[in-house]
Amino acid sequence: MFRRNFTLSPADTFPSQGVIKLLLITQGATLLLHAMRVPVWLTILCFVLLSWRFWRLRSGERDLLSNGVKNSLAVALVAIFGVSNGLNFTVEAAIAFFLLTYSLKLLELKSYRDAFVFAVLSLFLIILVFLYGQSLLEVSLVLVSIVLPLAALLALQDAEPGSAGWLKRFSAGARILGWAIPLLIFIYVVFPRVGPLWAMPLKSNSAFTGLSEKMTPGMISDLAGLSSRAFRVVFNGSPPPKSELYWRAILLDGFDGRTWYRSGLQSGREIGLYRTGAPLPPGPQGSWDYEVAMEPHNQVWGFTLKNYVMVDESPRLSVDGTLLFRDSQESLTRYRMVQGEWPEEDPGQWRLTRLPEGVNPQTRALVQELRARHADDESYIQAWLSLFREQPFFYTLKPPLLPGEHTIDQFLFETRQGFCEHYAGAMTFALRAAGIPARVVTGYMGGEYNSSGNFWAVFQYDAHAWVEAWVEGRGWLRIDPTGAVAPQRIESGLRAALADDAAFLENEPLSLARLSNYSTVAWLRNQLEYMNYLWHDTVVLYDQNRQSNLFSRWFGENKWKRILGLLGVLAVGILVLFAGALLYGKTWRRRPPVALRPQWILERKLRRAGIPVPPGSLTPAELLSYATPRLASGREGLKAVLEEYQALTYSRSSAGEDVSEKRRALERRIKSLRLKRLRR
Amino acid sequence: MVTLRKKLQQIEENWLKKRVPASERRTLDNRSLFVFPNRWGVVFGLLTLVVLITGINYQNAMISASAYLLIAMCLLHIFQSYKNLAGLTLEFDRAESAFPGDWITVILRVHAGDRERKGILVGWLPDRYARFNLDKGQSRDITVRLPAKRRGALEPGRLLVATSWPLGLVTVWSRPDLSVRAWVYPEPVHAEPLDADTQEGGDQDQRRKHASEGDFAGLREYQKGESVRRIVWKKFAQTGARVVRDFEVSSAKPEWVDASAWAHLETERKLSAMCEALLALYNQHKPFGLRIEQTEYGPDAGEAQLRRCLLSLAQYEGR
């Protein structure tokens, strides 16, 4: 019977207006959800297709485009997309292509099958929003918009599609979703977590923001325009003071006259130079001082404070104090760190005093002058810091451009306005020129404490660059020239330091972070941040470890044995029930057809009286001749009811006669019979 | 292949006969209901798998969760579809007879029982079915039209009752045998009777004349149950009112349509000729009777008599 595969609505039925309108609304919502990540022209084009379809629907036209027009339009649009996109195989490009073909489907949407496919495609495109992020914002967007394709599918199944209004349709969709959510939670908790099955070739281009492995003037100040979160930290115990929260990410040790770069790090994967030393050993098991929940940034590095080592196998801490993962991190990642001294490695072999020849002559002259006065490394450093502090240097997000060849000369002697990367770059140059090994460190500085959740949130605008210098006898010193120019940046964070700078978050005019000077907004932002933290911490980061821990808590240490045992007991129980149903179910189910019920009742009565009537095979006459010699009393009654029964069942009843009433009367008579077994 | 399929069909048929025996009224329950994902369900399942793998490979918890959501919806779908059909009662009410080439109207009565029903299909594959919704407690007559082909009994076999509500991924269906049976009248085809003299009157020409003219007595409103053939369609097109030509029932001597008059024809042609003769007499508004073998119907005039006679022709099983 399974081979009969029928569709409940013939594939060629034109879907009702209501269904198509629902589908158009669904498509609009889907396009809006992706609008930020796909080219603007594509979104506009898809909306044009949508409007065309809507206009077609309004004018009551059933005929769409002819096949030739339709196909050439589709080919043309796909070709335009191919040309404009090029060989750019990213997640966004894939989604854009998907959206385009999906919207082209509208051109030929005229049957049950088309409508069904369109609704299901919408469903999947809505789910793909999670590729951009997994916070409460995306979750609520998806939960709300997923109701639309569900409502469309429901309307498609409705035999009277015009019978319900919008509200009814949407609430029906929401109900389907609501029923599924408890089951979803159960599956989410128990479904086994596995690692990636194979490497995904698609990379995202714009979905990830954050530090890169190079530093040119302007790169970090670009990040100051973003209020997205970089990572969250929970301290186990009291945290260090805020001005000590220097989250190290990467060391930049090469300089080409304009850009600071990581000499050993190529293509973001190969660690090369920095893998030469063995990684630092992990700290003692079970103890930790802080836990970082890192947003996906598509890079291999993590963030750590100085003199903390990792608790688990991954990520690994390299000898120079950078935290490295095996792969680029494309999803939310969590790791724990514990206090532990870092060995002070010898900088000599890294040749950290190399500089390109012939650039920045003015700076070199100043270096020679200062070095002549301060032979001692530390006082030389102090001399530079007081130079920054005392001379008219300004801390700003929008420093003038430095187009020339001698960028550091230009900055130090002409513009004198810069962001942290200008100061860090100039300082490192000055140190190296004086023969002191030095490097630029980029990462984040500070963060915002969330008192509701007792965690720190670090945002993109907290990105920072500072300097590390090797001083004989003291090891690596952290030097932050920005602190000399704008001490507020270090003590209270960027927002306080640049309270009046219009450039702060200038592209996000409505960002809560920008408006946080108003206390209600600050409170609201704090609460939202906290809710997202809870969401990420309990739900999104529910991984293999957490699942295992949860099962341990439920089932104890030998959890797998117990879970297996429990499953076994369940299986056996179900089998027993099933077998029981098979064995006894027969007597339950062998209810006779109504017409035969009088005899069935009579046989049961005889058996109860002690006469073993064989089940279900005797005719009334046979039953009579079987039972009569075994009865002590009630023979006449038995004969009478059996005759009546025979008359009722085996003779043709004339039309209009109520047989069932007669049968019931007979059943009552049989029940009132007094039968007694003959004793021998 | 064909024989194997036939055999499988036979096995299924026998199995169904035991499991869901014939009765004119059936309430659907777990014994008579079957559940299986349809082809859209299979497509949906494959796409869900794609989502699941995407979630795993990108280590994206929310995409994985979406896959679980889809799985959860499919599982619930099975129960929702099942409950949408379970407890529904179907009855074969009646089937209206028709001439070959016309449509036979089968009227089934459905009772919703204690819940609302959505998107239920009732009828026969491939395309003779009706779709409907039912409110809680509602009873309703469902009309399914079947093409009338050959004279005699039309037995469309087991009914199909199915639903894919809510999302169209899983189909729950039942094949109750409501002993649906309809009668198809013979095709009216004129044939000369064997010997006009043996018939009363023998006025073949006269009869023809009457058939075309009749004793026209005016127009009156159409009443339900009357043959639609008597509706004055011209009038209907002009005014939208269904009126029929009213004829005075002639008090003439009843005429008999006797099977023996066409004894030289083989059965079907004989019945066709008798049918034509009955219709002609009916159109003359004369009392008439039908004599077929030893049975006599009538004599009487009017629609009811015509129907009785035509039905006996439809049910005729002799040679």
Side-chain angles (χ1 to χ4, degrees):
Chain A
M1 69 186 44
F2 299 140
R3 81 199 112 87
R4 258 188 218 123
N5 206 341
F6 44 83
T7 319
L8 286 194
S9 203
D12 55 342
T13 318
F14 197 84
S16 71
Q17 287 229 341
V19 170
I20 295 182
K21 275 186 196 158
L22 262 173
L23 288 175
L24 290 178
I25 293 175
T26 311
Q27 192 206 12
T30 312
L31 291 174
L32 285 179
L33 283 179
H34 290 279
M36 298 290 279
R37 307 287 180 150
V38 299
V40 178
W41 69 265
L42 191 110
T43 307
I44 292 173
L45 181 83
C46 292
F47 267 106
V48 168
L49 291 174
L50 191 155
S51 323
W52 175 80
R53 192 68 173 83
F54 185 68
W55 166 74
R56 215 61 185 159
L57 191 71
R58 283 296 292 272
S59 56
E61 277 296 335
R62 285 198 163 195
D63 290 326
L64 301 173
L65 296 173
S66 72
N67 271 345
V69 177
K70 190 175 69 192
N71 291 343
S72 35
L73 185 63
V75 168
L77 289 180
V78 170
I80 291 172
F81 177 81
V83 169
S84 74
N85 187 65
L87 292 173
N88 182 16
F89 298 110
T90 60
V91 170
E92 283 78 9
I95 288 178
F97 185 72
F98 198 176
L99 275 176
L100 179 65
T101 45
Y102 157 83
S103 301
L104 283 171
K105 184 82 192 152
L106 267 187
L107 295 180
E108 56 161 18
L109 195 150
K110 54 184 172 188
S111 66
Y112 172 88
R113 192 184 55 200
D114 294 337
F116 183 91
V117 168
F118 195 79
V120 171
L121 286 182
S122 313
L123 194 66
F124 286 91
L125 271 166
I126 288 171
I127 288 171
L128 288 185
V129 167
F130 286 132
L131 284 176
Y132 308 141
Q134 306 182 59
S135 65
L136 282 176
L137 175 71
E138 281 89 8
V139 170
S140 36
L141 281 177
V142 167
L143 277 183
V144 169
S145 34
I146 218 167
V147 168
L148 301 173
L150 290 180
L153 284 174
L154 276 165
L156 210 51
Q157 286 307 316
D158 199 329
E160 289 150 28
S163 63
W166 296 114
L167 205 64
K168 236 180 160 179
R169 287 272 173 250
F170 292 144
S171 65
R175 251 199 319 277
I176 292 283
L177 186 66
W179 281 110
I181 282 178
L183 192 54
L184 154 69
I185 293 170
F186 174 75
I187 302 176
Y188 193 82
V189 172
V190 302
F191 197 87
R193 295 295 190 279
V194 286
L197 303 176
W198 63 81
M200 295 294 264
L202 287 182
K203 296 276 178 225
S204 177
N205 51 3
S206 64
F208 303 111
T209 50
L211 296 170
S212 69
E213 52 201 55
K214 285 190 183 107
M215 187 184 84
T216 353
M219 275 182 110
I220 291 187
S221 43
D222 278 350
L223 289 182
L226 297 171
S227 66
S228 56
R229 190 175 39 250
F231 57 95
R232 289 196 193 87
V233 191
V234 179
F235 282 99
N236 188 12
S238 61
K242 191 175 174 181
S243 58
E244 283 299 312
L245 294 179
Y246 279 86
W247 302 99
R248 292 159 54 98
I250 1 167
L251 306 176
L252 306 177
D253 55 348
F255 185 56
D256 63 2
R258 183 169 190 83
T259 304
W260 290 90
Y261 57 92
R262 172 146 206 181
S263 58
L265 194 69
Q266 282 143 20
S267 74
R269 267 175 195 282
E270 192 188 320
I271 311 303
L273 193 58
Y274 287 89
R275 274 277 165 89
T276 50
L280 294 177
Q285 276 290 316
S287 68
W288 58 282
D289 287 315
Y290 66 84
E291 184 182 80
V292 175
M294 196 171 77
E295 298 290 327
H297 60 346
N298 207 20
Q299 305 284 5
V300 291
W301 57 74
F303 309 100
T304 178
L305 298 173
K306 195 173 176 180
N307 288 334
Y308 283 86
V309 296
M310 64 283 171
V311 171
D312 304 310
E313 285 295 306
S314 170
R316 300 178 0 142
L317 188 64
S318 68
V319 280
D320 61 354
T322 34
L323 208 52
L324 296 168
F325 290 89
R326 184 172 289 279
D327 298 302
S328 303
Q329 296 302 298
E330 286 161 3
S331 57
L332 207 66
T333 316
R334 184 158 47 183
Y335 56 87
R336 286 177 170 183
M337 305 293 288
V338 66
Q339 218 150 26
E341 284 296 311
W342 288 357
E344 300 282 1
E345 88 275 35
D346 177 14
Q349 59 179 305
W350 311 126
R351 291 186 273 177
L352 289 177
T353 53
R354 268 207 314 205
L355 286 173
E357 292 299 322
V359 295
N360 302 319
Q362 277 183 286
T363 312
R364 281 181 192 271
L366 180 63
V367 164
Q368 267 166 17
E369 186 194 324
L370 282 176
R371 191 61 168 164
R373 274 191 269 152
H374 304 278
D376 174 46
D377 286 353
E378 277 185 73
S379 63
Y380 174 77
I381 293 168
Q382 283 308 322
W384 269 97
L385 290 179
S386 46
L387 183 97
F388 283 134
R389 199 176 300 121
E390 283 150 20
Q391 303 268 341
F393 279 99
F394 297 98
Y395 182 59
T396 170
L397 262 173
K398 278 274 159 128
L401 295 177
L402 305 171
E405 193 189 342
H406 308 295
T407 51
I408 292 175
D409 278 2
Q410 248 183 319
F411 166 62
L412 284 180
F413 298 99
E414 287 169 35
T415 65
R416 297 202 160 189
Q417 296 175 40
F419 199 56
C420 56
E421 66 256 44
H422 297 82
Y423 293 99
M427 184 84 187
T428 312
F429 185 90
L431 290 174
R432 286 192 175 190
I436 303 172
R439 60 198 180 192
V440 174
V441 188
T442 60
Y444 295 86
M445 202 268 134
E448 278 171 48
Y449 179 64
N450 188 306
S451 52
S452 327
N454 190 28
F455 63 89
W456 289 74
V458 179
F459 298 92
Q460 292 302 345
Y461 58 68
D462 290 318
H464 195 46
W466 61 95
V467 185
E468 278 184 348
W470 175 266
V471 177
E472 216 41 68
R474 301 247 353 236
W476 285 103
L477 290 183
R478 186 185 67 221
I479 302 157
D480 191 353
T482 311
V485 181
Q488 260 196 309
R489 164 71 183 97
I490 309 307
E491 281 148 26
S492 344
L494 185 71
R495 212 170 51 225
L498 293 172
D500 302 325
D501 196 327
F504 176 59
L505 296 182
E506 65 175 345
N507 295 324
E508 301 182 19
L510 292 176
S511 140
L512 291 178
R514 189 186 167 93
L515 300 172
S516 280
N517 294 336
Y518 305 97
S519 62
T520 23
V521 178
W523 178 85
L524 188 67
R525 180 164 173 259
N526 215 21
Q527 294 303 311
L528 281 179
E529 192 61 38
Y530 175 50
M531 269 155 47
N532 253 321
Y533 164 74
L534 282 184
W535 172 254
H536 272 136
D537 195 57
T538 51
V539 180
V540 178
L541 284 171
Y542 176 79
D543 53 10
Q544 215 167 353
N545 272 335
R546 292 235 172 157
Q547 192 176 42
S548 171
N549 288 342
L550 188 69
F551 285 179
S552 295
R553 212 177 325 145
W554 286 349
F555 303 106
E557 267 317 298
N558 292 326
K559 56 178 182 289
W560 295 118
K561 268 187 200 164
R562 292 200 190 182
I563 289 171
L564 276 180
L566 201 68
L567 284 177
V569 167
L570 268 176
V572 170
I574 289 170
L575 271 180
V576 165
L577 277 177
F578 197 67
L582 274 182
L583 285 174
Y584 294 93
K586 279 197 171 162
T587 50
W588 300 335
R589 273 198 246 129
R590 280 275 170 85
R591 278 289 172 85
V594 193
L596 302 180
R597 208 162 66 191
Q599 187 177 349
W600 187 76
I601 295 173
L602 184 61
E603 286 179 5
R604 195 177 59 184
K605 202 173 170 79
L606 284 166
R607 282 191 206 105
R608 281 183 189 160
I611 299 166
V613 184
S617 55
L618 300 180
T619 63
E622 284 169 350
L623 183 61
L624 185 65
S625 58
Y626 176 83
T628 312
R630 293 174 170 80
L631 278 175
S633 72
R635 289 183 184 186
E636 294 74 24
L638 180 72
K639 190 160 187 264
V641 294
L642 273 173
E643 269 167 7
E644 193 182 326
Y645 170 66
Q646 197 151 16
L648 197 66
T649 318
Y650 296 94
S651 67
R652 281 206 159 197
S653 60
S654 52
E657 203 182 4
D658 196 351
V659 183
S660 61
E661 194 43 56
K662 278 192 168 177
R663 192 188 304 120
R664 271 197 286 278
L666 176 63
E667 282 169 15
R668 279 196 293 277
R669 272 184 63 197
I670 293 173
K671 281 176 188 164
S672 64
L673 271 185
R674 293 185 169 276
L675 301 172
K676 218 170 195 178
R677 188 167 64 106
L678 190 65
R679 295 190 181 275
R680 288 185 190 155
Chain B
M1 247 347 256
V2 176
T3 53
L4 184 69
R5 179 178 278 189
K6 277 225 165 109
K7 210 162 192 179
L8 278 172
Q9 232 157 12
Q10 193 55 48
I11 290 171
E12 179 198 332
E13 215 42 61
N14 289 342
W15 182 71
L16 267 178
K17 212 176 268 175
K18 263 188 244 155
R19 195 173 167 93
V20 193
S23 76
E24 293 216 337
R25 180 191 169 102
R26 176 162 289 280
T27 301
L28 305 179
D29 58 4
N30 58 352
R31 274 183 75 71
S32 49
L33 284 172
F34 308 105
V35 185
F36 210 68
N38 55 34
R39 76 180 103 139
W40 301 118
V42 174
V43 171
F44 192 84
L46 289 176
L47 282 169
T48 304
L49 195 66
V50 170
V51 173
L52 188 65
I53 289 174
T54 310
I56 288 173
N57 270 7
Y58 279 111
Q59 291 288 290
N60 189 314
M62 286 301 105
I63 291 188
S64 302
S66 306
Y68 307 150
L69 176 73
L70 300 179
I71 295 172
M73 285 196 302
C74 288
L75 290 178
L76 288 172
H77 192 322
I78 297 171
F79 292 100
Q80 285 159 339
S81 304
Y82 172 78
K83 285 185 83 178
N84 196 29
L85 270 198
L88 181 79
T89 305
L90 295 126
E91 258 179 287
F92 171 48
D93 187 57
R94 61 183 192 279
E96 280 162 13
S97 309
F99 291 97
D102 280 355
W103 294 98
I104 285 205
T105 310
V106 177
I107 292 155
L108 303 162
R109 183 159 296 154
V110 290
H111 310 277
D114 56 351
R115 54 178 290 136
E116 194 188 13
R117 316 279 173 180
K118 284 270 190 193
I120 290 175
L121 174 150
V122 163
W124 287 271
L125 290 177
D127 59 349
R128 306 314 315 163
Y129 51 74
R131 289 182 75 208
F132 57 88
N133 292 348
L134 286 175
D135 291 332
K136 188 172 167 180
Q138 192 190 359
S139 294
R140 189 169 154 182
D141 281 352
I142 300 298
T143 314
V144 181
R145 301 198 320 150
L146 298 171
K149 285 185 185 127
R150 265 181 295 112
R151 182 203 70 93
L154 176 86
E155 285 176 337
R158 284 182 182 273
L159 192 69
L160 174 72
V161 192
T163 186
S164 285
W165 191 85
L167 300 178
L169 310 173
V170 172
T171 303
V172 174
W173 76 95
S174 181
R175 316 251 346 260
D177 188 349
L178 298 184
S179 317
V180 173
R181 170 186 278 198
W183 294 101
V184 182
Y185 301 143
E187 174 107 63
V189 178
H190 179 70
E192 291 300 326
L194 192 59
D195 180 2
D197 288 341
T198 59
Q199 306 298 309
E200 275 104 317
D203 44 355
Q204 198 59 239
D205 297 337
Q206 182 98 15
R207 212 162 73 188
R208 293 244 146 246
K209 208 182 110 213
H210 274 288
S212 53
E213 290 169 8
D215 300 329
F216 183 65
L219 297 174
R220 62 169 173 78
E221 208 177 319
Y222 170 77
Q223 276 157 6
K224 228 178 163 184
E226 275 185 299
S227 165
V228 291
R229 285 156 186 253
R230 292 180 63 187
I231 293 179
V232 185
W233 293 109
K234 214 182 231 170
K235 205 79 182 170
F236 177 73
Q238 285 163 3
T239 64
R242 290 164 188 246
V243 290
V244 290
R245 287 197 183 86
D246 199 17
F247 299 97
E248 274 173 4
V249 173
S250 150
S251 54
K253 204 169 84 181
E255 295 203 39
W256 285 93
V257 176
D258 195 325
S260 57
W262 288 275
H264 61 294
L265 297 174
E266 56 92 21
T267 315
E268 292 303 323
R269 286 186 58 203
K270 177 169 74 186
L271 292 172
S272 286
M274 290 166 77
C275 175
E276 196 268 349
L278 283 168
L279 285 172
L281 286 170
Y282 169 73
N283 283 334
Q284 292 169 51
H285 312 288
K286 286 182 178 173
F288 59 93
L290 172 69
R291 192 178 295 130
I292 185 163
E293 283 164 3
Q294 268 75 53
T295 325
E296 282 186 3
Y297 300 88
D300 200 351
E303 173 109 19
Q305 162 73 355
L306 177 72
R307 283 193 181 280
R308 197 159 64 231
C309 295
L310 288 178
L311 189 64
S312 71
L313 292 185
Q315 291 173 341
Y316 179 73
E317 279 174 1
R319 297 176 46 80

